[in-house]
Amino acid sequence: MVYCLHNKIAEFTEKIKVTYADRKGYPFLEQPWSQPYILWTVLKLPISLHHGNFIMKSCPAAPLDPAVSPTETELRIKGIKEKLDQLIPPRPFTHVSSTTSATHSKATLLSPQDTYCRGDQLDVLLEVRDHLGRRKEYGGDFLRARMSSPALKAGASGKVTDFNNGTYLVSFTLFWEGRVSLSLLLILPSEGVSALWRARNQGYDRVTFTGQFANGTSHVNTDCALVLNSSAELCEYLDSRDQEAFYCVKPPHIPCAALTLMHSKNKDVSYLSKRERSLFERSNVGIEMMEKFDAITVSKCNTEKTAPMKKKCKFGMASTIPSGHVWKDTWNPVSCSLAPIEMKECLRGKFIHLMGDSTIRQWIEYFKSSMKTLKSVDLHESGKFQKQFAVDLDKNIKIQWQKHSYPLVASLTYSVKEIEYIARVIDRTGGGKSTIIVISLGQHFRPFPINVFLRRALSIHDAVQRLLLRSPDTVVIIKAENIREMHSDVERFSDFHGYIQYLAIKDIFQDLNVSIIDAWDITIAYGTNNVHPSQSVVRNQINILLNFIC
């Protein structure tokens, strides 16, 4: 009898006693948690070169915890997950009154000055207290620091260092002159962070998928999921090499290959207690902790000193914390200078592959609106998630966007006939100096256990490794995910989930010759709080791309 491999990694990996990372003795950075950036040492995880084919078959519902030998990938996933667990320890929670209070916490400006100069660092010491005014003895609060000058269309993130004893150091670099406002938001108290992390890794069913099977002129809908706990016969859509799987209940007398359409909806499922859910009410999320701080004035000061010239931004340059600032609606990196690039000439003769979610789809839409000679090719698909392809025949420019594979969370119905895993797309890409691959991954993975995201990121990492081995002059860029709406459906889509993924993706890919466009930092600086940031944000992200490749 053939049994399906169910991709319930969380339960399966609990049986693994020794992690790959532990066997190899790879260290993990043990430093205070800094937000919005935590820098973790790279895990130096080796790549997997297993080969396999995509399998689509029906089979009886099998146990969710199959008795198979652990593979290298499972060991890698478990190693990363264990490190995350150590950095997000369980926090005691008995009542909201014992959690971090923005009102009772105390922020003190260190070394206040009458005059602040451009380029100076301004530090704030934060001592957190609970709602009864009691000093907290542990950290882990999810905070977001930002400075801004709305009149100048200027903004930048701040660095928050957690000393894990109830105190934080908040540091701002004064990048520009003028009137500057400081902000420190308590996005989630540490107790909420702990609850979200536990809840996220408990189940796969916060989002339910409905698959449509075509049977001649009629259609049949069935339940689909990353994990299906069903006694019914299942269709298994499995990439056997990377063990990426998706399942649907098989309709009677209809082949599994007849699956054509998919949509999803949020399910009324929560792994939080009623008491924990109170932490995520709108009034408790994103509360200002520096409300009593007046705006400061930053002056040019040292007029005789000339700032050193920064080199032009190039592919592979290291990023800083923060990575830059917005001024007059334009992104300015800390470590390099972005030059104005003529888009058409830069892209002449190039093939731009955009792969991932709708935040990278915004790029092809921007390209098409900015270059009128770029014409869309009708690929005879439909819907918002259809593959997009545009060409400029005169300049020999080709730009393509395609969605990533499951999980793809969307209330709109989308076609699955052309859906495929990014790793497979990369494997059949020839590469070369005229090939640019940009990958964006994250938003659709937030409602599911972190193992799902880690497995996908690792499979893409391995595919990029193979690509760069056979074609080292291919340009590969990771666009980090961005922040989104702060108060909508926190258990499923909180930026805390995105932040953990942002850190993981930087860690997983840092051993490869790829560049990362830090959309997380850019969108904090802009203060967008929108899953689809504005055109000006997209324009500045694309300008970074153009500087990388031209």
Side-chain angles (χ1 to χ4, degrees):
M1 180 178 290
V2 177
Y3 287 92
C4 293
L5 173 63
H6 287 256
N7 192 19
K8 195 164 186 180
I9 307 163
E11 293 183 7
F12 170 58
T13 53
E14 287 304 314
K15 290 190 173 184
I16 303 172
K17 301 301 183 183
V18 181
T19 71
Y20 191 92
D22 291 337
R23 287 193 289 115
K24 292 294 185 184
Y26 294 128
F28 204 81
L29 190 64
E30 295 178 357
Q31 290 186 1
W33 180 349
S34 295
Q35 298 176 24
Y37 297 95
I38 306 173
L39 291 185
W40 297 342
T41 196
V42 79
L43 297 176
K44 299 291 185 184
L45 295 172
I47 65 166
S48 170
L49 294 175
H50 300 306
H51 293 275
N53 297 314
F54 183 79
I55 297 173
M56 181 172 59
K57 62 186 178 185
S58 64
C59 56
L64 294 182
D65 192 10
V68 298
S69 299
T71 66
E72 184 178 301
T73 301
E74 269 79 47
L75 292 168
R76 293 161 74 189
I77 292 169
K78 185 173 186 286
I80 298 172
K81 174 67 162 48
E82 286 184 345
K83 306 305 179 182
L84 292 173
D85 286 337
Q86 293 172 17
L87 286 168
I88 314 170
R91 295 300 186 194
F93 175 57
T94 54
H95 192 271
V96 173
S97 63
S98 66
T99 65
T100 306
S101 165
T103 304
H104 290 85
S105 296
K106 183 181 179 182
T108 304
L109 183 61
L110 299 179
S111 303
Q113 302 173 31
D114 294 331
T115 303
Y116 293 94
C117 299
R118 188 179 69 185
D120 286 353
Q121 179 171 301
L122 185 150
D123 292 323
V124 176
L125 181 67
L126 175 67
E127 298 174 305
V128 295
R129 300 178 182 272
D130 66 18
H131 289 264
L132 298 178
R134 299 172 300 195
R135 173 74 180 273
K136 296 191 71 176
E137 297 180 351
Y138 53 83
D141 299 298
F142 188 47
L143 308 173
R144 180 175 297 161
R146 180 175 181 260
M147 54 183 278
S148 62
S149 298
L152 297 173
K153 294 185 178 181
S157 68
K159 179 184 178 183
V160 183
T161 302
D162 183 350
F163 296 111
N164 294 313
N165 61 2
T167 62
Y168 300 81
L169 179 66
V170 187
S171 302
F172 298 95
T173 301
L174 304 179
F175 287 112
W176 62 86
E177 303 163 41
R179 195 81 168 155
V180 177
S181 297
L182 306 177
S183 170
L184 180 64
L185 298 181
L186 174 62
I187 307 294
L188 295 173
S190 54
E191 296 81 6
V193 167
S194 177
L196 271 191
W197 182 241
R198 189 206 72 248
R200 173 175 183 173
N201 294 300
Q202 274 187 257
Y204 295 75
D205 52 352
R206 292 178 191 82
V207 176
T208 181
F209 295 87
T210 301
Q212 184 177 108
F213 289 76
N215 183 22
T217 57
S218 62
H219 301 89
V220 178
N221 292 336
T222 72
D223 291 336
C224 301
L226 291 164
V227 171
L228 268 178
N229 188 6
S230 172
S231 59
E233 186 178 10
L234 302 180
C235 289
E236 178 186 53
Y237 305 93
L238 171 67
D239 186 308
S240 59
R241 182 195 63 201
D242 296 326
Q243 293 302 295
E244 297 267 19
F246 193 74
Y247 304 91
C248 291
V249 173
K250 185 181 183 300
H253 314 299
I254 299 179
C256 293
L259 178 64
T260 56
L261 300 174
M262 188 75 62
H263 71 271
S264 70
K265 65 178 180 180
N266 295 338
K267 198 173 179 181
D268 188 19
V269 169
S270 174
Y271 292 95
L272 298 168
S273 68
K274 184 177 180 181
R275 183 178 297 165
E276 288 171 334
R277 285 196 292 274
S278 67
L279 294 174
F280 308 114
E281 294 174 358
R282 188 179 184 91
S283 59
N284 294 328
V285 175
I287 309 303
E288 182 60 65
M289 305 185 82
M290 295 175 62
E291 204 165 36
K292 297 178 182 178
F293 274 62
D294 295 328
I296 64 169
T297 299
V298 180
S299 304
K300 188 176 183 181
C301 295
N302 301 322
T303 55
E304 295 182 5
K305 292 181 65 176
T306 303
M309 291 289 292
K310 292 188 291 186
K311 295 180 179 180
K312 178 183 175 295
C313 294
K314 293 182 179 180
F315 179 86
M317 295 185 76
S319 185
T320 59
I321 305 169
S323 62
H325 70 280
V326 182
W327 187 70
K328 292 188 177 179
D329 209 24
T330 299
W331 179 249
N332 296 269
V334 169
S335 57
C336 59
S337 176
L338 290 171
I341 304 289
E342 208 290 312
M343 188 181 294
K344 280 187 185 181
E345 287 306 313
C346 176
L347 298 183
R348 179 191 288 270
K350 293 183 173 61
F351 195 162
I352 314 292
H353 296 261
L354 306 174
M355 308 177 190
D357 57 32
S358 55
T359 67
I360 198 71
R361 186 184 67 215
Q362 287 184 276
W363 282 30
I364 192 170
E365 291 165 351
Y366 183 87
F367 280 127
K368 290 191 291 187
S369 65
S370 300
M371 293 189 291
K372 301 305 180 183
T373 56
L374 198 63
K375 303 301 181 184
S376 294
V377 177
D378 186 358
L379 299 178
H380 303 288
E381 298 173 11
S382 61
K384 192 70 172 174
F385 291 91
Q386 64 179 301
K387 183 186 290 185
Q388 296 190 40
F389 185 59
V391 297
D392 181 329
L393 295 177
D394 181 54
K395 302 285 187 182
N396 190 25
I397 300 170
K398 297 180 284 292
I399 304 176
Q400 175 180 287
W401 172 81
Q402 65 185 100
K403 57 184 177 285
H404 63 68
S405 191
Y406 313 113
L408 195 65
V409 178
S411 57
L412 296 174
T413 299
Y414 56 89
S415 169
V416 301
K417 297 309 293 182
E418 77 290 346
I419 203 167
E420 56 187 331
Y421 293 103
I422 290 176
R424 291 293 181 175
V425 180
I426 294 172
D427 279 340
R428 69 165 191 272
T429 301
K433 63 182 180 180
S434 296
T435 300
I436 293 92
I437 293 175
V438 188
I439 301 165
S440 181
L441 201 66
Q443 298 282 350
H444 294 259
F445 291 79
R446 293 187 182 190
F448 303 99
I450 191 65
N451 301 18
V452 178
F453 178 79
L454 294 178
R455 176 177 290 274
R456 185 66 51 82
L458 287 168
S459 69
I460 294 172
H461 169 282
D462 294 354
V464 171
Q465 173 80 18
R466 292 188 291 270
L467 171 64
L468 295 179
L469 283 173
R470 68 180 183 268
S471 185
D473 52 358
T474 306
V475 175
V476 180
I477 295 168
I478 308 295
K479 187 194 79 67
E481 63 181 292
N482 48 263
I483 62 173
R484 63 178 296 161
E485 296 79 8
M486 203 176 300
H487 302 97
S488 61
D489 207 343
V490 175
E491 184 173 354
R492 288 183 183 86
F493 296 109
S494 169
D495 272 343
F496 165 70
H497 298 318
Y499 182 57
I500 295 302
Q501 294 175 173
Y502 161 76
L503 294 170
I505 208 85
K506 290 175 71 176
D507 187 62
I508 288 169
F509 280 89
Q510 83 89 42
D511 66 328
L512 297 181
N513 185 29
V514 304
S515 277
I516 294 180
I517 292 179
D518 198 338
W520 189 269
D521 192 41
I522 293 171
T523 51
I524 289 177
Y526 267 95
T528 57
N529 296 320
N530 192 321
V531 68
H532 295 120
S534 67
Q535 286 287 90
S536 59
V537 175
V538 176
R539 169 176 54 82
N540 280 282
Q541 292 174 352
I542 288 176
N543 191 42
I544 298 173
L545 169 75
L546 298 178
N547 274 260
F548 282 171
I549 64 179
C550 296

